[in-house]
């Protein structure tokens, strides 16, 4: 199975950005996903934006470390005043039990 990665480039629309992740979101994808979210947050701050939407529609599997990575990204976004990080997730069938 492949590791999760960000589809590039993220889609910037005005003051919002769509970051699409694809593949398996687990331990081995942590660094790449963290970097992609950090880059998106920096871009949004730079343009005075207010929202980064992380789309998990193309994620085929979501492990506990992948979920932890997303939660840390949410916390990082909350530390930046006025920036929201929203997650669009498909049905729970991708979650690793």
């Amino acid at each position: 199975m492949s590791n999760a990665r960000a589809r590039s480039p993220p889609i910037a629309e005005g003051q919002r950005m769509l970051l699409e992740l694809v593949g398996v979101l687990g331990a081995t994808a942590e660094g790449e996903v963290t970097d992609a979210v950090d880059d998106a947050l920096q871009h949004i701050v730079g343009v005075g934006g207010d929202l980064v939407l992380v789309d998990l529609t193309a994620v085929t599997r979501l492990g506990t470390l992948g979920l932890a990575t997303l939660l840390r990204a949410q916390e990082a976004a909350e530390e930046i005043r006025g920036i929201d990080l929203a997650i669009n997730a498909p049905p729970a069938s991708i979650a690793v039990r």
Side-chain angles (χ1 to χ4, degrees):
M1 290 186 182
S2 63
N3 294 331
R5 60 182 172 76
R7 281 191 183 157
S8 54
I11 301 166
E13 191 172 298
Q15 296 182 325
R16 295 185 160 91
M17 176 174 270
L18 173 63
L19 177 62
E20 298 175 290
L21 299 180
V22 296
V24 176
L25 183 50
T28 57
E30 181 179 7
E32 186 174 349
V33 171
T34 299
D35 291 347
V37 172
D38 287 347
D39 290 348
L41 290 173
Q42 287 178 9
H43 174 80
I44 284 298
V45 168
V47 298
D50 59 2
L51 175 69
V52 173
L53 175 62
V54 179
D55 186 359
L56 302 181
T57 303
V59 170
T60 55
R61 216 164 160 201
L62 176 62
T64 55
L65 290 175
L67 181 58
T69 299
L70 293 173
L71 291 173
R72 281 193 300 277
Q74 178 73 37
E75 290 171 356
E78 288 175 1
E79 290 177 7
I80 303 170
R81 188 175 183 94
I83 304 296
D84 290 321
L85 187 135
I87 297 172
N88 178 42
S93 61
I94 66 166
V96 176
R97 299 173 196 241

